[in-house]
């Protein structure tokens, strides 16, 4: 079962690729990554990257460092391709040379054109970290935390010309413990996604795959979050404010609470009290803010910037 894998840096690409590479029934022929050249730089539509070694253990923690796609490709003796133009004839010819039965995708940031989707004999599969058709789009983990969801999941679907719209081959639900980070959830979904992806590739090979169309009436879609989407609103339940802040605080984008006379940045979400009432919109004790929500109270360590 010949597979060409498309992904990028990050655990949601690396662990699904690792699951395919470690299954002896699956022959991964190449790993494709997006070209990240500076704007205006002329790069070929596709090129083979030089091999890179697996990362060493962290000297401070003596723990393994998560390998990326290039390291995994080098460790398993397969080429890593850098793709600048997925629709270019040179790119299509280079990929066709691998004679793929399946293209497998997990977090590749470019839309695959119809000519590329038609290339594999059995189709293209995508790993999507939500319970499709809910939460389609390029950044489902953000919106999972933004909504304060108690569960999410992983979906494996056949790719068509839409975005996250193809028929489902596999899906698994995952409970989200309160207060977990995006990194925690990403690792959990990547592990499940890798297993489901390998199972789906093999189901296609055996002819036992049973595609199920997605229900469009239940579909939701979100784009990339804007700066204002990182703002916690007092009309949210306190639980939602806590789940959201804990999930996205590590992204490097300020999580903000807008008060009438100050702009408050959340530094560390501490807790939430679902039934508490302050009797006032907010209260601050040192660097700890207690925000009245609807219902409950959200508690966080903050920095206050006067307007």
């Amino acid at each position: 079962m010949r597979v060409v894998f498309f992904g990028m840096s990050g655990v949601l690409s690396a662990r699904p690729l690792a699951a395919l590479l470690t299954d002896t029934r699956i022959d991964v022929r190449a790993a494709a990554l997006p070209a990240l050249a500076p704007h205006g730089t002329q790069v070929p539509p596709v090129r083979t990257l030089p091999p890179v070694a697996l990362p060493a253990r962290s000297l401070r923690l003596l723990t393994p460092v998560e390998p990326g796609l290039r390291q995994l490709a080098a460790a398993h003796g397969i080429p890593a391709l850098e793709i600048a133009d997925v629709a270019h004839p040179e790119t299509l010819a280079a990929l066709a040379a691998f004679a793929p039965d399946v293209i497998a995708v997990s977090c590749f940031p470019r839309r695959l054109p119809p000519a590329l989707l038609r290339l594999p004999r059995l189709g293209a599969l995508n790993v999507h970290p939500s319970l499709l058709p809910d939460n389609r789009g390029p950044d489902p983990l953000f919106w999972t935390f933004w909504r304060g969801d108690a569960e999410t999941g992983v979906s494996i679907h056949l790719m068509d010309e839409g975005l996250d719209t193809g028929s489902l081959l596999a899906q698994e639900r995952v409970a989200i413990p309160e207060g977990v980070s995006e990194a925690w959830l990403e690792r959990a979904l990547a592990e499940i996604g890798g297993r489901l992806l390998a199972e789906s590739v093999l189901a296609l090979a055996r002819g036992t795959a049973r595609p199920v169309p997605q229900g469009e009436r239940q579909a939701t879609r979100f784009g990339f979050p804007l700066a204002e989407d990182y703002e916690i609103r007092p009309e949210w339940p306190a639980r939602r404010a806590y789940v959201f802040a804990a999930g996205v605080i590590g992204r490097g984008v300020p999580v903000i609470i807008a008060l009438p006379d100050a702009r408050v940045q959340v530094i560390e979400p501490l807790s939430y009290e679902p039934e508490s009432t302050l009797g006032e919109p907010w209260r601050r004790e040192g660097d700890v803010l207690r925000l009245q929500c609807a219902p409950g109270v959200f508690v966080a360590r903050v920095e206050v910037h006067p307007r």
Side-chain angles (χ1 to χ4, degrees):
M1 195 62 179
R2 298 180 298 273
V3 175
V4 172
F5 184 87
F6 283 70
M8 59 183 298
S9 61
V11 68
L12 265 171
S13 288
R15 293 200 179 183
L17 174 59
L20 298 182
L21 288 167
T22 54
D23 193 312
T24 57
R25 297 164 293 181
I26 297 172
D27 178 13
V28 181
R29 292 295 182 93
L33 301 93
L36 300 176
H39 180 69
T41 304
Q42 293 295 321
V43 295
V46 59
R47 68 183 180 117
T48 301
L49 296 169
V52 292
L54 285 169
R57 288 176 178 266
S58 164
L59 295 178
R60 183 171 66 87
L61 299 176
L62 297 178
T63 55
V65 177
E66 189 82 40
L69 261 63
R70 288 184 66 186
Q71 290 93 345
L72 286 169
H76 288 266
I78 63 172
L81 306 178
E82 184 183 61
I83 297 180
D85 186 346
V86 289
H88 197 281
E90 289 183 25
T91 302
L92 296 174
L95 295 169
F98 295 108
D101 297 305
V102 171
I103 284 176
V105 181
S106 188
C107 293
F108 190 75
R110 313 274 171 79
R111 188 169 183 168
L112 301 192
L116 182 50
L117 294 176
R118 291 193 297 266
L119 186 64
R121 181 173 64 89
L122 296 175
L125 295 177
N126 183 50
V127 180
H128 187 80
S130 84
L131 294 170
L132 292 174
D134 183 37
N135 203 352
R136 294 171 176 169
D139 197 354
L141 269 65
F142 175 87
W143 299 106
T144 293
F145 286 115
W146 184 85
R147 299 190 304 188
D149 291 344
E151 70 171 7
T152 183
V154 182
S155 303
I156 310 296
H157 69 92
L158 289 165
M159 299 179 72
D160 56 20
E161 295 185 26
L163 292 175
D164 306 323
T165 56
S167 294
L168 296 168
L169 291 189
Q171 193 170 76
E172 188 168 317
R173 293 179 177 271
V174 178
I176 306 173
E178 290 180 355
V180 300
S181 67
E182 182 177 33
W184 183 95
L185 183 59
E186 187 177 38
R187 286 192 297 271
L189 297 180
E191 204 69 42
I192 295 168
R195 171 172 52 80
L196 294 181
L197 177 62
E199 292 172 358
S200 297
V201 168
L202 294 172
L204 286 176
R206 292 190 296 261
T208 58
R210 297 292 180 264
V212 177
Q214 295 187 37
E216 291 302 313
R217 290 186 178 181
Q218 295 79 38
T220 61
R221 176 178 292 281
F222 301 92
F224 287 107
L226 305 175
E228 54 263 34
D229 294 317
Y230 286 82
E231 181 176 322
I232 291 173
R233 304 167 190 174
E235 62 266 26
W236 288 2
R239 180 194 174 278
R240 178 180 174 185
Y242 174 70
V243 166
F244 173 68
V248 305
I249 199 75
R251 284 187 160 217
V253 180
V255 177
I256 298 300
I257 303 170
L259 300 178
D261 57 349
R263 181 176 181 270
V264 176
Q265 180 176 343
V266 176
I267 304 302
E268 180 186 7
L270 299 176
S271 63
Y272 75 97
E273 301 162 4
E275 306 297 332
S276 292
T277 302
L278 287 178
E280 54 189 329
W282 57 275
R283 183 182 304 156
R284 184 160 66 96
E285 300 170 357
D287 64 350
V288 175
L289 179 82
R290 296 170 61 82
L291 178 71
Q292 181 65 61
C293 295
V297 172
F298 170 55
V299 185
R301 188 167 63 84
V302 301
E303 285 183 0
V304 179
H305 307 280
R307 290 186 182 276

